[in-house]
Amino acid sequence: MRSCRVPGRGRVDASRPVGFTFDGRRYQGAAGDTVASALLANGVHLMGRSFKYHRPRGPVSAGSEEPNALVGTRRGPGRFEPNTRATVQEIWEGLEVTSQNRFPSLRFDVSAVNDAGYMLFSAGFYYKTFMWPRGFWDKVYEPFIRRAAGLGVSPTEEDPDTYASRNLHCDVLIVGAGPAGLAAARAAAVEGLRVVLVDENAEAGGTLLSEPQVRIDGRPAWDWLADELAALKGLGVRIMTRTTAIGYYHQNMVGLCEKLTDHLAQLPADTPRERLWRVRARWVVLAQGAIEKPLVFNGNDRPGVMLAGAAQTYLNRYGVRVGDRPVVLTSHDSAWYAAFDLQGAGARVQAIVDTRPSVREDLLHEARALGILVKLGHTATATSGRLRVKSLRVNPVQGGQVGSPVTIACDAVLMSGGWTPSLHLFSHTQGKLAWDEAQTTFLPAETREDCVIAGAGRGLWGVQAALEDGAARGREVAAALGKDSAAQAPRVQGDRTGTGVTQIELPTDLNAGRAKAFVDYQNDVTAKDLRLAVREGMHSIEHVKRYTTNGMATDQGKLSNINGLNIAADALGRPQPQVGLTTFRPPYTPTTFGALANYHRGDHFELTRKTPIDAWAEAQGAAFEPVGQWRRAWYFPRPGEDMEAAVRRECAAVRSSLGIFDASSLGKIEVIGPDAVTFMERMYTNPWAKLGVGRCRYGLLLGDDGFIRDDGVIGRLAADRFHVTTTTGGAARVLNMMEDYLQTEWPELNVWLTSTTEQWSTVALNGPNAAKLLAPLVEGVELTEDAFPHMSCAECTVAGLPARLFRVSFTGEIGFEVNVPSPMAMQLWDRLWQDGQRYGITAYGTETMHVLRAEKGYIIVGQDTDGTVTPYDAGMGWAVGKSKPDFVGKRGLARPDLVAKNRRHLVGLLTEDGSRLEEGAQIVFDPKQPVPMTMVGHVTSSYHSQAVGRPIALALVEGGQDRMGQTVHIPMPDRTIAATITGTVFVDPENTRLKIEA
Amino acid sequence: MLLIHCPYCDETLPEVEFTYAGQAHVVRAADPSSQTDAEWENFLFIRSNPKGPHYERWRHLHGCGRFFNAVRDTVSDRFLTTYKAGAPRPDLSSLQGDRT
Ligand SMILES: [Zn+2]
């Protein structure tokens, strides 16, 4: 492999070779190289295939704006990253790099036939195709697109790396450590101001790294840079490299992603791969420079066609000559210097082709002195070369007429269409842009943030201008923070400034409709696509963008947005500001999910709440299910039992003798105060004023719209104290709702609300033997039918532990809920478990609880209700205190829709063939009606009932309470099931089983 | 991320400590039963959607737990002022928002 390294050039350390592989082949680069610079140093331009047409592509830039050179990188098992920009990724010994979007190989790709199908994939392709016959889509298009399109493949293994996050508060955050940022830092670092300077590159310096010819304060740029960085550190400036400002959020919060290990051959111990910083800065200085614009012409995407500034960076920063016989194609002065630099580095520049009819005399003079052919007033109309550009076809343009072509042999085309200020971050927080007609670009205008822009970001060109503007902005910010800064910018010699003109797609003598003049390289959008979109009626830039996908790839249109806008504006015949610019959104560059998630992964992704009984249940081999944030024991299988068998056994045990259930996750709210009863009267549907101390009642909570929100048993422990229970998932919501009404509607009520869910753990005992087990353990209450009837509550002692004892039943059997302080819950459970052995005590989980309650027709809020169910719909009109003047939801219940006929009612369903229905299945009255059928309800709960000896179900059915005994139908994919409407109580409708026998 | 001033804690704190709680000054009638269907519908469902200053309720959920009111500009997202629940609506013409 031929070396394109230029001895004595660049900042890479040629004495420290670094080996890496690309598609399995071994290459050697130098310390300081990126993947792109190292491959270019080996003469490799072909680095990937494009997204849609699979066209061969090489790097077009040398920075984070790169749309083409996306690669996969691997560092052993689990450490694979797709879509890494080769222009940013630093090489290290052993790095494995693979190309993407190619099959079977990068040099020969079968899907490149897409390229031949160019006309098929034009603008709006996806939208148009979706409207074609569906069968065509399934059989032809989708398989084709799936194989053909797509970026790199997702990693399949779990990421073994760790990611961190930190907060940082500072006085001044400066984004971009080029000349403007450095000067701003120097000016702002006065009188103890905390200044942070960040840059996405591996080293600070920005353009200075690519412009060694500049002399600053009489010294070579790189010497000045090294001293200046040392001086800034000495002033206390925190300099963070490999750190990208990914997003600018309200009130000067900036997100940074710091890459810590991706450039290292050996991973240091205990170091995160990346760290996400949340910076809150009093002032922000954006010194992000500008991004060079490609020229839009037929064949502008072949490997070897790249931005002129990138070629300069490869030469001056990395010591790589990107071509021996380059052609420069430009509409801006800056590319002329690229020609001069390459010529000076041993290349033979074939020509400088400028679209402008005249250019500055000094440029012409220097080109002549270097013996470079100059073609002014020319356009480029084609390139040749399959895997690397071989020639450029250029034509003179005179009076709008494209003349005869000349073909120039070359091995690189270095293009420049001028420069675009990088204002992505500025736009993230609604910074307004103003169109600058002279520069044909948007410049920053107002922002509500405490933010200033320095240097090329506001259209100032050259190192001197950047340094001066940076210093001025730094002084401005220091002054705003009450500090006096006198810093002045140093003097610059050898600066290169220039101007240019803005081009839309270059004029051509060929068929423009067949031109592959790319605007968005990554999404393969051409000038023709944009014009087609406008012709097809897309008149807003937002529509053009979505129709063509211009600017919607992972580079967010860093190279393509402004060219896209200029072409769309031309097609629309309207000036650019009237067409508008699409909105930039965070993140500035693709950011790993790892960095965004940082610590919140695995066990820390979401907390799992466990009851004090959880460890016991786990030791018993329980299966668990998540309920809200809680992990609850679902069922307790014995060896050889599946879920169904375990639940049958658990159900039978409760109905025949005794079951024990961990109900600790039930929400609990203590309502205390002189006005507690008034508050309860207003919150819940039920009447509470007459509920005696030591009694409890099933409470129903509605929204003011009249629909059921939550339910639970509520005990009155004292005249001014209620123990409220809520559903497991509803606890926080109910407390919020109570607080809302208490604080904002009834602030005059003297009531305190306290969540006690975590403080009390609840053990439920259910079954004919429940009272027998519990009675001997209880002190202070006699557990007889007379002394402690159903729906009683008491503060007492159970097994020697302070307890709140409730006699309630969610199963239809004799039931108790024993609340003890959570640290004592396991002690209580152990004692009950031990003493219960004589009754064959059986632990049951949530599934059995669900079956047993369904057999009794007790609802689960959120399962049998869905936010549109009233107490009357649910058959619980008895829970509504109709004589109360007001409660939350009372007026709502009188709304016209809620009193209308034919509402969906909760009913029981028994299938005629004895099969078990699926929860969620839709119900119809007439199974013979044409599709789509009129759906009249759905199945909400369905179980096999051990007690009834058949499956039972609950369902919401239109007018169900008036349709008892009628048949409804449940159409399923394979058959239609008939079911009879019944009442909701399947077991012991007279509640005889609740009585404790004397 | 916004910074929000809690009028009870009298501190300016990050948005993550707070939750939004809907439009402010939507009064629940003292006697809802006397409300017409149209009035009750208005109370339950009808909300303003201004481009500009919006009266809204926030709660310092992960702090003092109090509900309070705010005027926020829906264009800039910024808070123009916050005030205690029960306090009268501030005069919009006197508000110009914090720059920080
Ligand atoms: Zn507060």
Side-chain angles (χ1 to χ4, degrees):
Chain A
M1 185 59 62
R2 205 168 56 85
S3 172
C4 300
R5 194 74 74 178
V6 185
R9 292 296 188 102
R11 297 173 67 83
V12 296
D13 187 351
S15 70
R16 285 164 56 210
V18 176
F20 68 102
T21 62
F22 179 56
D23 283 343
R25 182 167 174 180
R26 210 176 147 70
Y27 290 93
Q28 191 170 296
D33 261 328
T34 62
V35 169
S37 71
L39 286 173
L40 290 170
N42 286 280
V44 176
H45 274 257
L46 175 63
M47 295 188 197
R49 290 266 176 177
S50 72
F51 172 64
K52 206 157 68 176
Y53 303 129
H54 287 229
R55 285 170 68 90
R57 292 280 169 81
V60 69
S61 78
S64 66
E65 67 271 34
E66 177 59 30
N68 277 346
L70 304 185
V71 295
T73 55
R74 179 178 287 283
R75 182 201 290 272
R79 291 191 166 93
F80 172 76
E81 185 180 82
N83 304 327
T84 303
R85 283 147 299 153
T87 50
V88 172
Q89 174 67 49
E90 295 164 67
I91 57 166
W92 40 268
E93 187 63 41
L95 171 66
E96 296 168 47
V97 182
T98 47
S99 60
Q100 302 183 157
N101 277 2
R102 83 290 189 265
F103 178 82
S105 77
L106 185 56
R107 294 179 67 82
F108 177 77
D109 179 284
V110 293
S111 290
V113 292
N114 290 9
D115 199 14
Y118 174 50
M119 306 312 273
L120 192 71
F121 278 91
S122 62
F125 159 73
Y126 292 96
Y127 304 102
K128 290 167 187 165
T129 305
F130 272 118
M131 294 173 68
W132 287 12
R134 188 182 151 76
F136 214 65
W137 176 257
D138 288 344
K139 291 192 184 66
V140 182
Y141 276 99
E142 188 173 326
F144 184 60
I145 291 168
R146 285 216 182 280
R147 187 168 51 82
L151 294 167
V153 293
S154 294
T156 51
E157 301 135 299
E158 189 177 330
D159 185 347
D161 282 313
T162 59
Y163 299 81
S165 88
R166 295 271 293 273
N167 291 305
L168 180 67
H169 293 264
C170 64
D171 294 307
V172 184
L173 172 69
I174 301 164
V175 180
L182 290 167
R186 170 67 83 133
V190 288
E191 296 181 46
L193 289 182
R194 293 163 302 166
V195 178
V196 177
L197 175 62
V198 302
D199 197 286
E200 63 178 347
N201 288 284
E203 53 178 335
T207 12
L208 295 180
L209 301 174
S210 305
E211 296 212 39
Q213 87 290 344
V214 167
R215 295 182 74 83
I216 303 175
D217 272 349
R219 279 173 300 149
W222 291 354
D223 295 349
W224 179 86
L225 175 62
D227 292 348
E228 187 65 10
L229 290 172
L232 289 173
K233 281 175 192 157
L235 288 168
V237 174
R238 178 177 197 148
I239 301 174
M240 299 167 73
T241 55
R242 298 188 182 93
T243 303
T244 305
I246 55 171
Y248 191 164
Y249 309 92
H250 285 114
Q251 292 177 289
N252 272 4
M253 182 158 130
V254 178
L256 309 176
C257 182
E258 180 183 19
K259 288 182 183 294
L260 296 161
T261 64
D262 274 3
H263 62 292
L264 299 175
Q266 296 298 322
L267 289 182
D270 303 325
T271 301
R273 180 183 175 215
E274 295 175 357
R275 187 178 285 133
L276 185 79
W277 292 86
R278 281 179 294 264
V279 183
R280 186 77 73 168
R282 292 171 71 195
W283 277 86
V284 170
V285 179
L286 296 177
Q288 297 177 278
I291 294 175
E292 199 167 16
K293 273 183 290 195
L295 285 167
V296 180
F297 59 99
N298 184 24
N300 65 345
D301 67 325
R302 290 189 200 280
V305 181
M306 68 165 64
L307 292 165
Q312 266 176 301
T313 294
Y314 284 120
L315 177 62
N316 294 325
R317 183 169 165 193
Y318 298 103
V320 177
R321 196 169 55 227
V322 298
D324 293 332
R325 293 171 296 118
V327 179
V328 170
L329 175 66
T330 185
S331 67
H332 195 278
D333 296 340
S334 63
W336 289 66
Y337 296 110
F340 304 156
D341 282 359
L342 266 98
Q343 189 83 353
R348 292 204 320 282
V349 176
Q350 302 296 294
I352 298 174
V353 180
D354 202 309
T355 64
R356 298 171 293 177
S358 63
V359 298
R360 252 166 42 201
E361 197 51 47
D362 62 303
L363 296 175
L364 290 170
H365 183 80
E366 185 157 0
R368 226 172 286 133
L370 290 168
I372 303 172
L373 174 68
V374 171
K375 288 180 176 291
L376 299 182
H378 271 63
T379 183
T381 49
T383 57
S384 75
R386 196 172 73 86
L387 302 179
R388 172 88 182 256
V389 67
K390 286 196 178 114
S391 71
L392 176 70
R393 183 178 184 270
V394 301
N395 313 51
V397 181
Q398 243 181 350
Q401 291 298 308
V402 178
S404 306
V406 180
T407 298
I408 306 170
C410 62
D411 61 358
V413 175
L414 312 182
M415 61 180 165
S416 179
W419 299 78
T420 307
S422 188
L423 294 169
H424 302 68
L425 281 188
F426 179 77
S427 302
H428 286 176
T429 41
Q430 303 179 327
K432 297 274 179 298
L433 304 178
W435 180 253
D436 184 271
E437 192 56 45
Q439 298 199 34
T440 336
T441 196
F442 284 105
L443 293 178
E446 322 97 71
T447 172
R448 290 185 54 89
E449 302 295 332
D450 291 327
C451 167
V452 293
I453 316 282
R458 55 195 204 97
L460 301 170
W461 309 116
V463 175
Q464 182 72 64
L467 285 167
E468 279 173 10
D469 194 47
R473 300 286 81 74
R475 290 194 303 269
E476 181 186 334
V477 162
L481 292 167
K483 309 290 183 188
D484 199 19
S485 171
Q488 295 295 326
R491 297 305 309 162
V492 174
Q493 294 160 287
D495 203 1
R496 292 159 159 184
T497 57
T499 57
V501 300
T502 294
Q503 296 284 354
I504 51 172
E505 68 269 48
L506 298 185
T508 182
D509 58 332
L510 303 172
N511 180 349
R514 297 214 151 264
K516 288 167 185 169
F518 287 91
V519 177
D520 184 328
Y521 291 107
Q522 207 180 25
N523 269 354
D524 274 344
V525 179
T526 63
K528 191 202 76 166
D529 291 326
L530 293 165
R531 290 187 183 276
L532 180 64
V534 168
R535 274 205 307 282
E536 295 191 350
M538 309 299 137
H539 288 175
S540 127
I541 195 68
E542 294 286 353
H543 291 156
V544 171
K545 168 180 164 175
R546 280 158 184 77
Y547 199 60
T548 60
T549 72
N550 192 64
M552 288 172 70
T554 62
D555 62 343
Q556 278 205 56
K558 289 188 179 67
L559 299 184
S560 61
N561 274 358
I562 190 74
N563 278 334
L565 171 64
N566 287 334
I567 292 167
D570 182 67
L572 286 161
R574 292 213 303 262
Q576 286 88 338
Q578 282 182 29
V579 179
L581 195 60
T582 54
T583 312
F584 295 111
R585 299 184 199 284
Y588 177 67
T589 50
T591 304
T592 62
F593 283 113
L596 297 175
N598 53 74
Y599 302 121
H600 307 284
R601 59 185 289 193
D603 289 346
H604 294 171
F605 177 65
E606 190 181 45
L607 86 166
T608 301
R609 298 172 79 180
K610 295 178 181 175
T611 75
I613 316 300
D614 183 89
W616 183 91
E618 187 167 330
Q620 294 286 313
F624 291 92
E625 70 165 340
V627 183
Q629 290 173 324
W630 291 93
R631 154 176 131 135
R632 300 193 71 183
W634 194 9
Y635 56 95
F636 291 82
R638 287 185 179 164
E641 278 185 343
D642 59 7
M643 174 165 158
E644 202 181 309
V647 170
R648 277 174 199 239
R649 174 179 50 75
E650 291 170 19
C651 285
V654 174
R655 295 252 181 259
S656 65
S657 178
L658 181 59
I660 185 168
F661 177 68
D662 177 14
S664 301
S665 65
L666 277 185
K668 300 165 205 85
I669 299 166
E670 194 93 342
V671 179
I672 318 167
D675 296 320
V677 71
T678 308
F679 179 75
M680 291 302 295
E681 287 272 312
R682 294 186 190 177
M683 283 309 300
Y684 281 79
T685 59
N686 322 64
W688 302 96
K690 288 181 187 152
L691 183 73
V693 171
R695 297 292 295 164
C696 47
R697 176 167 283 165
Y698 171 80
L700 205 48
L701 181 73
L702 310 185
D704 252 328
D705 52 12
F707 296 129
I708 294 173
R709 290 290 194 281
D710 202 75
D711 68 351
V713 169
I714 295 163
R716 190 168 195 179
L717 296 169
D720 61 352
R721 180 181 293 258
F722 289 84
H723 178 111
V724 175
T725 67
T726 73
T727 57
T728 291
R733 207 162 46 236
V734 172
L735 183 61
N736 284 344
M737 183 176 164
M738 287 183 172
E739 280 287 352
D740 193 345
Y741 278 88
L742 180 59
Q743 287 186 34
T744 68
E745 298 296 346
W746 312 314
E748 73 283 2
L749 294 186
N750 191 351
V751 175
W752 290 91
L753 305 171
T754 309
S755 166
T756 54
T757 304
E758 302 274 357
Q759 281 65 36
W760 292 110
S761 284
T762 311
V763 180
L765 289 171
N766 278 270
N769 289 317
K772 285 179 206 151
L773 168 64
L774 201 54
L777 299 174
V778 176
E779 287 171 49
V781 182
E782 200 188 342
L783 295 197
T784 60
E785 192 60 35
D786 292 340
F788 200 66
H790 187 59
M791 299 309 268
S792 297
C793 63
E795 290 182 284
C796 59
T797 302
V798 177
L801 308 171
R804 287 181 176 179
L805 178 63
F806 284 69
R807 185 171 165 202
V808 292
S809 174
F810 201 42
T811 61
E813 302 299 324
I814 296 165
F816 296 93
E817 286 181 1
V818 190
N819 295 277
V820 293
S822 289
M824 302 174 185
M826 198 54 230
Q827 197 183 332
L828 172 71
W829 184 278
D830 273 338
R831 181 68 192 275
L832 296 172
W833 185 251
Q834 227 166 49
D835 290 10
Q837 291 307 316
R838 81 186 81 140
Y839 304 110
I841 191 167
T842 299
Y844 65 96
T846 51
E847 188 65 18
T848 290
M849 179 267 282
H850 277 127
V851 175
L852 297 173
R853 66 89 203 175
E855 289 172 346
K856 291 292 295 178
Y858 296 143
I859 64 164
I860 300 271
V861 172
Q863 178 172 339
D864 302 299
T865 70
D866 62 1
T868 67
V869 176
T870 71
Y872 300 105
D873 297 339
M876 296 196 291
W878 50 265
V880 177
K882 297 166 199 67
S883 59
K884 291 199 290 182
D886 185 30
F887 57 82
V888 175
K890 181 179 164 84
R891 177 63 186 84
L893 285 173
R895 290 160 56 207
D897 285 351
L898 274 63
V899 296
K901 290 262 177 267
N902 268 340
R903 289 189 57 81
R904 291 184 178 186
H905 298 149
L906 190 71
V907 294
L909 284 186
L910 293 174
T911 53
E912 291 179 1
D913 64 357
S915 63
R916 193 179 130 182
L917 294 169
E918 266 189 48
E919 288 175 359
Q922 293 290 322
I923 298 166
V924 301
F925 290 140
D926 173 12
K928 296 200 171 66
Q929 63 186 302
V931 175
M933 299 187 183
T934 302
M935 294 175 285
V936 296
H938 69 277
V939 178
T940 62
S941 291
S942 176
Y943 310 96
H944 178 82
S945 166
Q946 180 69 7
V948 186
R950 56 160 298 149
I952 58 169
L954 298 174
L956 286 164
V957 176
E958 209 170 282
Q961 283 156 11
D962 309 317
R963 292 176 180 273
M964 287 297 145
Q966 294 182 17
T967 300
V968 292
H969 302 272
I970 297 95
M972 299 303 290
D974 56 337
R975 69 206 171 105
T976 295
I977 304 167
T980 308
I981 296 180
T982 71
T984 55
V985 184
F986 299 95
V987 167
D988 188 24
E990 285 80 36
N991 288 327
T992 55
R993 300 180 65 86
L994 290 176
K995 280 213 160 43
I996 300 176
E997 303 296 335
Chain B
M1 193 199 305
L2 292 164
L3 295 169
I4 302 176
H5 183 84
C6 173
Y8 293 98
C9 297
D10 198 18
E11 278 194 81
T12 300
L13 298 159
E15 188 184 329
V16 287
E17 293 194 16
F18 298 82
T19 51
Y20 178 65
Q23 185 178 326
H25 302 292
V26 178
V27 179
R28 188 177 188 272
D31 178 16
S33 295
S34 68
Q35 296 267 294
T36 65
D37 284 340
E39 285 167 338
W40 198 245
E41 176 193 76
N42 195 53
F43 163 73
L44 283 179
F45 302 121
I46 308 303
R47 296 292 181 266
S48 62
N49 184 22
K51 184 176 181 179
H54 184 229
Y55 293 93
E56 52 195 31
R57 305 191 319 144
W58 284 76
R59 187 179 179 202
H60 192 190
L61 183 64
H62 303 290
C64 64
R66 302 294 298 268
F67 286 85
F68 59 88
N69 291 333
V71 185
R72 199 175 58 84
D73 187 322
T74 59
V75 177
S76 70
D77 294 338
R78 299 297 181 97
F79 282 79
L80 304 181
T81 189
T82 58
Y83 52 102
K84 292 180 179 178
R89 252 177 234 252
D91 177 12
L92 284 185
S93 62
S94 68
L95 299 173
Q96 48 184 347
D98 308 337
R99 243 182 90 81
T100 55

